[in-house]
Amino acid sequence: MYQKVVEFIRNLYGTDAFIALHEPQFFGNEKEYVNDTIDSTFVSSVGKYVTKFEEMVAEYTGAKYAVATSNGTSALHTALKLVGVDKESEVITQPLTFIATANAISYCGAKPIFVDVDRETLGLSSQKLETFLKENTTINSDGECINKKTKKFIKACLPMHTFGHPCKIDEIVEICDSYNIAVVEDAAESLGSYYKERHTGTFGKVGIFSFNGNKIITTGGGGMIVTDDEALAKRAKHLTTTAKVPHPYEYIHDEIGYNYRLTNLAAALGVAQMENIDIFVQKQRELAKTYEAFFKEMDMEFVTEPKDARSNYWLNAIVLKDRDERDAFLRYTNDRGIMTRPIWRLMNKLEMYKDAQCGDLSNAQWLEDRIVNITSSVIL
Ligand SMILES: *Cc1c(COP(=O)(O)O)cnc(C)c1O
């Protein structure tokens, strides 16, 4: 059976060589724009491509404001700071995510709380979130949400749209609103994914995207913060550019800021990639359809977009019968030069987060035992 999968993937990509999980594709104006930054000498933190890239992402996602950053992780760190996450805070997130989600919480000096995901969406479960908040929190006289166990403020909730499949973000926002918890969306993987016809990353107070080399489009390394709140957008720009106060020649910084800006060189790549975002999304979706039909025939479970969602299908995934099957599949495919990867180890099992407070994590555990990502580079 696994042999058929290997043959199918080799056929799709038309090669006997090693096949990576997700490779970038450059077929547009990338070289022209990157060369333009070199010719103009504006390769660093000033230049027209940064602004252009921000405008394109804002327009595409429907967010009012977009602020480019050096990577998705720095965007996450900044986004959490924007909504006031500090060392007295706790942030609810999902245990099934890439490490950057949890680390960004730690960078603020805050503690993560892990609440389960849905099996259907692979993202934070609105139902488990509601149960957790009901059982474990109170609202103080200032309207702040307090964790009964630790007496700390639960300042933010950080759901993630796994592999580009939207979680039930409208319900999550509604629940968090009633507890005065700010929602920051880790949409690092979901540029081009919509939930109820609205772009992911634009439901919460702040959202972030990543343009790492393995994402749906890339700037080599880069990120973006999106928000509809003008004051937050301005503060995002300020924090990510060393908190420098504008002045004709003096160096005045009014708080501890960060050097998190995106270079013009990287943004040039981003502008060229954004020009073709519709093609990237369409091709990812076509690839997913092809896989879906194949795995149906094979009687294997392929992860499809959740209800009410239009996914970018950034990373394709299958669900194996159990952990042994998962491991057997991983060994078989990787031994034969086809890169496949298990879903992430749950955050609460990692050394740094083993003492974190957790809800019931049965769905996350079930998925950790079974999910494998398969080759997902777009085929042009
Ligand atoms: C890729 C990714 C990030 C971080 O992005 P970088 O640009 O690599 O820093 C954050 N969260 C999730 C879920 C990601 O997949």
Side-chain angles (χ1 to χ4, degrees):
M1 187 153 85
Y2 297 164
Q3 190 196 333
K4 281 203 173 148
V5 177
V6 166
E7 276 168 17
F8 184 76
I9 293 175
R10 287 224 167 276
N11 241 330
L12 267 180
Y13 287 89
T15 175
D16 290 329
F18 169 78
I19 302 177
L21 195 63
H22 200 295
E23 281 179 343
Q25 302 276 6
F26 306 110
F27 55 89
N29 293 318
E30 285 86 353
K31 280 186 183 160
E32 186 191 329
Y33 296 167
V34 169
N35 276 332
D36 182 35
T37 68
I38 296 168
D39 291 342
S40 72
T41 77
F42 283 96
V43 292
S44 194
S45 46
V46 182
K48 64 180 182 189
Y49 288 107
V50 176
T51 314
K52 176 86 185 145
F53 187 42
E54 290 173 339
E55 285 167 1
M56 288 175 95
V57 172
E59 199 197 320
Y60 179 73
T61 59
K64 278 208 183 115
Y65 307 96
V67 175
T69 60
S70 51
N71 54 57
T73 309
S74 58
L76 267 180
H77 179 199
T78 309
L80 290 171
K81 287 193 76 83
L82 290 177
V83 300
V85 173
D86 60 15
K87 62 184 194 329
E88 306 305 325
S89 319
E90 295 178 337
V91 178
I92 295 177
T93 191
Q94 58 203 61
L96 196 68
T97 185
F98 178 58
I99 190 68
T101 317
N103 281 351
I105 297 168
S106 303
Y107 298 163
C108 298
K111 291 265 185 277
I113 297 172
F114 298 112
V115 169
D116 208 5
V117 295
D118 283 324
R119 288 233 315 237
E120 187 213 358
T121 68
L122 315 178
L124 188 69
S125 162
S126 51
Q127 202 195 319
K128 299 252 185 144
L129 173 67
E130 190 162 34
T131 307
F132 180 90
L133 290 170
K134 239 182 223 152
E135 289 174 357
N136 295 285
T137 67
T138 53
I139 305 282
N140 72 8
S141 54
D142 293 330
E144 293 158 319
C145 181
I146 312 284
N147 184 339
K148 284 198 274 198
K149 190 169 153 200
T150 61
K151 313 283 181 240
K152 290 201 173 187
F153 300 115
I154 299 180
K155 267 272 167 66
C157 176
L158 182 52
M160 196 277 279
H161 303 291
T162 307
F163 307 149
H165 296 300
C167 62
K168 292 180 182 163
I169 188 64
D170 56 344
E171 291 179 15
I172 290 169
V173 168
E174 198 184 319
I175 294 161
C176 287
D177 279 350
S178 67
Y179 283 84
N180 287 321
I181 296 170
V183 174
V184 173
E185 276 176 87
D186 185 344
E189 306 182 349
S190 65
L191 186 72
S193 299
Y194 294 78
Y195 187 68
K196 296 186 178 168
E197 269 145 48
R198 183 162 157 195
H199 200 287
T200 52
T202 65
F203 289 79
K205 224 173 164 50
V206 189
I208 74 97
F209 298 100
S210 164
F211 306 103
N212 189 40
N214 62 350
K215 296 299 200 292
I216 187 161
I217 63 162
T218 185
T219 57
M224 192 74 75
I225 298 164
V226 294
T227 182
D228 281 348
D229 184 318
E230 187 182 4
L232 287 187
K234 282 196 171 136
R235 191 160 152 69
K237 199 58 163 178
H238 190 62
L239 273 178
T240 55
T241 55
T242 66
K244 187 177 182 299
V245 180
H247 189 281
Y249 45 83
E250 284 225 62
Y251 294 107
I252 307 161
H253 306 264
D254 62 1
E255 63 180 311
I256 298 174
Y258 302 88
N259 180 13
Y260 279 173
R261 62 191 126 197
L262 187 70
T263 66
N264 200 44
L265 191 68
L269 204 56
V271 168
Q273 292 260 287
M274 268 312 282
E275 286 174 350
N276 289 318
I277 182 69
D278 290 337
I279 296 173
F280 279 103
V281 174
Q282 187 200 327
K283 293 286 170 192
Q284 293 273 200
R285 289 181 60 84
E286 282 172 14
L287 175 62
K289 278 269 169 267
T290 310
Y291 272 132
E292 191 181 347
F294 169 74
F295 284 111
K296 194 167 181 185
E297 193 110 315
M298 295 288 292
D299 205 19
M300 287 172 77
E301 192 181 337
F302 177 74
V303 176
T304 53
E305 63 195 351
K307 191 171 159 285
D308 298 325
R310 191 171 186 279
S311 301
N312 67 2
Y313 281 96
W314 165 62
L315 267 194
N316 293 294
I318 55 172
V319 187
L320 279 305
K321 294 242 151 39
D322 54 29
R323 196 158 185 116
D324 289 341
E325 287 272 332
R326 183 199 85 156
D327 292 341
F329 182 83
L330 284 166
R331 264 196 309 274
Y332 189 90
T333 47
N334 284 292
D335 280 352
R336 282 156 187 79
I338 301 218
M339 184 172 165
T340 57
R341 288 290 180 265
I343 200 165
W344 311 280
R345 183 159 299 183
L346 301 188
M347 294 298 112
N348 55 297
K349 292 183 182 176
L350 302 176
E351 187 57 31
M352 315 78 83
Y353 299 117
K354 67 179 184 343
D355 298 325
Q357 188 175 359
C358 297
D360 156 54
L361 302 181
S362 48
N363 290 337
Q365 184 57 58
W366 192 93
L367 291 164
E368 189 206 59
D369 288 338
R370 289 167 179 80
I371 293 232
V372 173
N373 288 121
I374 54 172
T375 321
S376 298
S377 310
V378 295
I379 301 165
L380 295 166

